[in-house]
Structure formats: C-alpha cells, structure tokens
C-alpha cells in the first residue's frame, strides 16, 4: 500500500470513532433540558401520549403564599408558547427570571440557579427549545397573590462559568449541582424565605405536600449525625441513581422524581456531583 493510501485509511478509521467532544449544540441542549437540569420535570405533561407534547406545560401546581403558578408552555408555539420570543428573551427568562415585558417569574422557576450557565450551554438550551415541536396548549395563567420577594441569586452561581471552568473537576461539581438546583429544595425550611443559601446550605427541612403526604428535604451536609457524612460515595451514588438510602429506605417524591433524571447522567458528571456534595460543610 502506498503511503498516501495508508494515510487515507487512517483518516477514514479515525473519522469512524465517535468522539466525546463531538457533541452538537442540540445534543447538549437535550442533555441539559431532559437530564441535567430537569426542565421537563416542571414543563412537560405526564402520562400516555405525553412525549409528543413535551415542554408544553407542566402538571404540578406551585401554590405558595405569594403565587399560584404552573410550569409554562415553552415550546415554539406562537400563541401559547414562546415562539415569538427572541434568543435574548429566552436567555433572560432562564437566567434572570423575567418575561420579555419585564414582569418577574415566580421563584418556582429556579432562575436564581441558572445564572451560572456558560454561554455555550445557554446557546444549547435555546437551540434545543427551538427544535422541539410547537404544541398549542394554554397553561392556566399565573396568579400572583402578593409581591414576590426577589429571589436572591444562588451565591456560588452569581458568576457566569466558562468552558474552562467545566474542565476543573471541583468547579464542574459545583456547576452541575447548581444547574440541577439541588439547593432549591435542600437549602432551607419552608419558613425561611428568601433563602440564605450560605447559612443554610444543605440543611434541608423544606416541606413538600402531595398525593404522597408530606415529605421534608433531607440534611445533605457532611454532618455525620444530622446529615450524610457517614455515607460512602457508593451509598450516595446509589441514593441519587436508585433512590434507596444505605438503610434500605426508598426515597419519596419529589426526590424520587429527580432520581429518574440523575440515573441518566453520564458517569463523569455523577462522579463530579457526588464529590461536590461531600464538600458541603456540616450543619446540625
Ligand atoms: C422546579 C420547576 C421548574 C424547573 C426545573 C424549570 N422551570 Fe421554567 N418555569 C417554571 C414555572 C412554575 C414557570 C412559570 C412561572 C410564572 O408563571 O411566574 C416557569 C417559566 C419559564 C419560562 C417563561 C415562560 C413564560 O411564558 O412565561 C421559561 C422560558 C422557562 N421557564 C424555561 C425553563 C427552562 C429552559 C428550564 C430548564 C433549564 C426550566 N424552565 C426549568 C418552573 C420550572
Ligand atoms: C424538588 C426538590 C428536590 C431537589 C431538586 C433535590 N432534592 Fe434531594 N431530597 C428532597 C426531599 C424532599 C428528600 C427527602 C425524601 C424522603 O424523605 O424520602 C430528599 C432526599 C435526598 C437525599 C437522601 C438523604 C437522606 O438522608 O435520606 C439525598 C442524598 C439528596 N436528596 C440529594 C440531592 C442532590 C445531590 C440533589 C441535586 C442533584 C437533590 N437532592 C435535589 C428534595 C429534593
């Protein structure tokens, strides 16, 4: 075989090997919306046939003293979705929690955590949202019962991350736990509003009521008595991906709904998340 023939053979072979970094913007957007950030958990219908109506409006009602809202229709439908919004409008809603006309979204939409998003991940989110089928579905209009206290930015997330930050394992864990908004549920009790994320990071105690009764978010700090400091990494990983604690207890909603997402994360992302959770300072 001539040298050039060998060379072209090598090139053909190399091109056939799937490369991890070849993830397209749309693939990244799909991974963010349906796996890492669980947008679909709040914005998609459930039940038979729901897949064809993805992101056209959620099922949960977020009923708080300040508002009663449902996850909006975020498909490109021009009348009932966000089809007329510009890319910038969409990015501002995600990261700043405001509509194009400037009105704030209820804090049930965890924008406080999404300010950390890298420019590429924001682009990926927009690309993906624009690619899903437009679904006509009028979601019950939000009711604001009182001025919504402005939700403070989640402190670690005030600064926007860069692609280089994601290459650093410790920063990657912080990024993932932030976009997955663990602390929207695990940072405060129901009475502490707005949250003081620094003082109560990982303390838990927020109440969730539903058909399952009432659950309270757990203390996930590294306290060996009140938190999960005595768990091994493998036990924490199992809780996050199988929804079972070391003593064999099955986790209940809304945590169990999220387990369905975490189990689909890629192994490297799960490792980084587990490593970050171990760094949460102990709180009794
Ligand atoms: C914990 C639930 C929850 C998650 C997770 C969530 N959202 Fe939302 N989102 C909401 C709720 C509730 C509203 C409506 C708030 C209101 O009406 O004041 C909303 C509103 C929005 C809006 C404004 C739409 C409109 O017409 O007003 C956009 C855009 C949006 N979300 C995008 C996203 C994206 C993209 C993600 C994932 C990156 C996401 N959301 C994750 C609950 C959520
Ligand atoms: C929508 C709210 C919500 C989100 C988001 C959430 N959790 Fe939870 N989590 C809970 C609740 C509620 C429980 C308690 C469930 C129960 O009592 O069965 C819990 C339980 C846990 C437990 C079990 C602790 C124990 O002692 O039993 C771990 C570990 C945990 N969460 C970690 C996380 C991490 C890490 C994230 C982010 C990647 C996260 N959670 C996101 C609400 C949430």
């Amino acid at each position: 075989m001539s040298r050039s023939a060998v060379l072209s053979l090598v090139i053909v072979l190399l091109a056939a090997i799937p490369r991890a970094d070849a993830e397209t913007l749309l693939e990244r957007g799909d991974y963010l919306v349906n796996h890492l950030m669980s947008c679909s958990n709040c914005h998609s219908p459930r039940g038979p046939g729901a897949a064809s109506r993805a992101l056209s409006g959620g099922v949960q009602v977020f009923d708080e003293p300040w508002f009663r809202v449902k996850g909006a229709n975020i498909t490109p439908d021009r009348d009932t979705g966000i089809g007329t919004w510009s890319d910038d409008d969409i990015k501002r809603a995600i990261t700043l929690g405001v509509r194009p006309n400037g009105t704030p979204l209820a804090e049930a939409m965890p924008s406080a955590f999404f300010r950390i998003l890298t420019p590429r991940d924001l682009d990926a989110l927009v690309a993906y949202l624009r690619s899903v089928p437009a679904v006509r579905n009028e979601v019950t209009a939000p009711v604001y019962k009182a001025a919504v206290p402005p939700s403070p930015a989640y402190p670690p997330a005030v600064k926007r991350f860069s692609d280089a930050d994601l290459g650093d394992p410790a920063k990657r864990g912080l990024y993932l736990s932030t976009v997955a908004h663990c602390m929207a549920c695990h940072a405060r009790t129901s009475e502490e509003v707005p949250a003081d994320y620094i003082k109560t990071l990982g303390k838990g105690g927020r109440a969730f009521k539903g058909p399952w009764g009432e659950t309270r978010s757990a203390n996930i700090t590294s306290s060996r008595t009140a938190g999960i400091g005595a768990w091994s990494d493998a036990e924490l990983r199992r809780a996050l991906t199988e929804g079972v604690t070391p003593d064999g207890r099955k986790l209940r909603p809304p945590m169990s709904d999220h387990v369905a997402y975490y189990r689909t994360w890629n192994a490297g992302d799960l490792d980084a998340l587990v490593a970050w959770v171990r760094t949460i300072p102990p709180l009794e």
Side-chain angles (χ1 to χ4, degrees):
M1 223 189 283
S2 76
R3 271 183 71 174
S4 66
V6 169
L7 196 64
S8 23
L9 185 64
V10 167
I11 290 172
V12 167
L13 286 175
L14 278 179
I17 300 172
R19 286 173 31 183
D21 63 353
E23 190 184 43
T24 65
L25 212 52
L26 267 186
E27 286 164 350
R28 177 68 181 168
D30 182 355
Y31 185 53
L32 287 165
V33 169
N34 298 313
H35 304 275
L36 286 186
M37 301 177 71
S38 58
C39 315
S40 41
N41 189 47
C42 298
H43 285 282
S44 288
R46 297 179 192 176
S52 62
R53 292 177 287 121
L55 300 177
S56 66
V59 294
Q60 310 96 312
V61 177
F62 298 91
D63 198 0
E64 300 271 345
W66 306 275
F67 53 76
R68 190 183 155 84
V69 298
K70 291 185 79 172
N73 179 342
I74 55 172
T75 72
D77 184 65
R78 296 181 69 85
D79 298 321
T80 61
I82 56 171
T84 59
W85 295 25
S86 70
D87 288 3
D88 261 8
D89 289 339
I90 298 175
K91 291 178 182 179
R92 275 163 39 86
I94 295 172
T95 58
L96 301 174
V98 287
R99 295 201 176 81
N101 66 6
T103 56
L105 296 168
E107 54 130 24
M109 162 67 187
S111 301
F113 294 84
F114 298 161
R115 272 163 231 195
I116 196 171
L117 283 164
T118 64
R120 181 172 194 271
D121 278 352
L122 260 180
D123 286 343
L125 283 172
V126 170
Y128 182 76
L129 292 180
R130 294 219 184 278
S131 78
V132 302
V135 178
R136 200 186 157 76
N137 179 37
E138 196 98 48
V139 172
T140 318
V143 177
Y144 303 107
K145 306 176 206 169
V148 183
S151 79
Y154 179 56
V158 172
K159 202 179 134 273
R160 181 177 267 206
F161 268 37
S162 68
D163 287 343
D165 289 330
L166 299 195
D168 171 335
K171 283 189 167 174
R172 190 177 183 89
L174 168 62
Y175 185 81
L176 293 167
S177 67
T178 304
V179 299
H181 54 280
C182 311
M183 292 306 160
C185 298
H186 282 282
R188 62 169 173 93
T189 67
S190 298
E191 295 71 38
E192 291 159 337
V193 181
D196 179 340
Y197 295 114
I198 300 266
K199 238 171 58 196
T200 55
L201 193 80
K203 189 177 82 170
R206 183 169 182 181
F208 296 89
K209 292 196 183 89
W212 59 86
E214 183 179 299
T215 47
R216 284 196 174 252
S217 60
N219 180 326
I220 58 165
T221 72
S222 49
S223 160
R224 297 185 67 85
T225 44
I228 56 170
W231 296 17
S232 70
D233 284 359
E235 286 170 336
L236 176 53
R237 201 179 228 279
R238 177 155 181 252
L240 292 173
T241 57
E242 294 172 35
V244 183
T245 63
D247 56 17
R249 195 169 48 86
K250 248 179 116 233
L251 293 175
R252 292 161 297 165
M255 187 62 196
S256 46
D257 300 332
H258 283 76
V259 166
Y261 285 85
Y262 306 148
R263 73 158 56 103
T264 67
W265 286 24
N266 71 45
D269 284 346
L270 261 176
D271 288 344
L273 174 70
V274 167
W276 183 82
V277 172
R278 316 304 330 219
T279 67
I280 304 173
L283 282 177
E284 300 306 318

